Amino acid sequence: MNYHELTITIPAPFRDTLIRRLVSIGCLGVIEQDDSFLAYFPETVDRASIRNELSIVQALLAKSGSVAGLSVHSSSIPDQDWNETWKKGFVPIDVGERFTILPTWEKTKQGRINLIVDPAMAFGTGHHETTRSCLVLLEKYAGRSDKENLLDLGTGTGILAIAAKKLGFQRVAAVDTDLLAVDATRKNADLNEAEGIDIREGSIAELNETYSFILANIISGVLVLLAPEIAAHLKTGGIAVLSGILAGQDDEVLEAMTKAGLKLIKRYPDGKWISLAVGR
Ligand code: SAH
């Protein structure tokens, strides 16, 4: 069987949403690149359903006021090339001092905290700058908190929640408004033998606990809206890492956090992205 390879360029904050939607209609896998990603479909997939998902996400993009748009290039590739192309896109990467992100078929690295992602699930693989920044800042500041409990807000693939569990947080909660993300997180938690993560569909407002650490890799607009909730759910002495912020939007996010009573600990740039560590 031949495959369709779509090269899709889309602003990063919308990438995961689109990938999830494509997976739900039969996308076999993705390979993430800098500003775009490759998505693979069997030739038999209904093209109208792909177009439909693309237009839904395009509408979301337009509604968000994003200046960058979505563009798609399609080509057909023969079966045998596909597996190789696919695997080449997933090399293990070291992140921070201790983490290594690797696909299921690679051997885990001794002496590192291995985070295994299953590319066949076609979700974000942690190769994105904002995910990496969260891991770096989590590792850097985990020791400053009491490590009692952590909230991964907008967990996506669950990668940050899994990392937190492996770093020794006693209780980890992972929430996402997208049910497909919740399913992916469950599968990834199993794959990583990260037990006991409280995985739920929903958002922060429905949670009644305060946390030692909060990770929120969402987008600036959502972070601004959620600032009061994030502050209210952070323990005194707790730390929140906020990511998914494009350079130039960091002041706006920080202002919302400051208004909610949080203080800047660290501004951490990576490419065109800025992550913020704030404390209470
Ligand atoms: N934490 C992952 C995924 C980030 S993508 C990582 O760092 O790689 C952002 C996720 O936030 C998406 O899965 C999206 O569904 C979720 N999300 C967006 N708005 C949200 C909200 N208000 N509450 C909870 N989750 C949200």
Side-chain angles (χ1 to χ4, degrees), residues 222-273:
V222 176
L223 291 172
V224 167
L225 286 175
L226 294 183
E229 290 285 352
I230 291 173
H233 284 79
L234 201 57
K235 283 183 196 169
T236 306
I239 292 170
V241 167
L242 315 165
S243 195
I245 306 165
L246 279 168
Q249 297 176 345
D250 45 323
D251 283 342
E252 186 194 334
V253 175
L254 185 58
E255 194 189 313
M257 296 297 158
T258 312
K259 257 197 199 148
L262 303 177
K263 284 197 197 78
L264 180 67
I265 299 174
K266 176 100 185 153
R267 209 184 279 259
Y268 183 84
D270 186 352
K272 55 184 187 248
W273 300 95

Side-chain angles (χ1 to χ4, degrees), residues 14-208:
F14 292 88
R15 195 186 276 198
D16 278 7
T17 305
L18 179 58
I19 292 173
R20 273 198 283 281
R21 300 195 78 104
L22 295 180
V23 169
S24 73
I25 56 156
C27 173
L28 297 165
V30 300
I31 295 176
E32 303 212 37
Q33 300 179 326
D34 263 0
D35 286 327
S36 58
F37 66 90
L38 307 176
Y40 295 92
F41 288 90
E43 219 172 26
T44 49
V45 79
D46 175 19
R47 291 192 148 231
S49 62
I50 301 180
R51 276 196 298 274
N52 184 41
E53 295 306 328
L54 289 169
S55 62
I56 291 172
V57 174
Q58 188 140 37
L60 287 176
L61 248 173
K63 218 169 132 192
S64 78
S66 167
V67 276
L70 187 159
S71 74
V72 183
H73 171 79
S74 167
S75 59
S76 185
I77 54 164
D79 192 2
Q80 76 247 50
D81 292 344
W82 183 65
N83 253 337
E84 284 319 300
T85 318
W86 164 264
K87 285 198 169 180
K88 271 190 214 136
F90 296 104
V91 288
I93 47 168
D94 290 345
V95 179
E97 310 262 313
R98 279 170 287 178
F99 293 116
T100 296
I101 304 176
L102 71 167
T104 35
W105 59 83
E106 293 279 353
K107 259 180 104 176
T108 53
K109 276 200 195 172
Q110 286 275 321
R112 310 270 312 169
I113 300 178
N114 291 280
L115 304 172
I116 304 163
V117 290
D118 179 1
M121 283 169 44
F123 278 62
T125 51
H127 287 56
H128 196 264
E129 293 98 320
T130 61
T131 308
R132 290 200 299 260
S133 298
C134 285
L135 289 171
V136 168
L137 292 171
L138 169 66
E139 181 177 59
K140 189 170 164 69
Y141 293 112
R144 275 210 205 174
S145 84
D146 57 15
K147 283 201 185 173
E148 195 199 327
N149 59 355
L150 175 143
L151 170 65
D152 179 11
L153 177 59
T155 192
T157 56
I159 188 167
L160 302 179
I162 292 163
K165 195 76 199 169
K166 292 195 176 189
L167 261 188
F169 278 85
Q170 289 167 43
R171 287 181 297 119
V172 175
V175 298
D176 203 294
T177 42
D178 185 337
L179 187 57
L180 292 171
V182 171
D183 290 344
T185 298
R186 292 218 168 94
K187 289 190 185 128
N188 275 332
D190 284 349
L191 193 65
N192 281 275
E193 292 170 12
E195 276 153 31
I197 299 176
D198 179 7
I199 304 166
R200 295 189 207 180
E201 185 187 1
S203 192
I204 191 167
E206 293 118 60
L207 302 170
N208 299 320

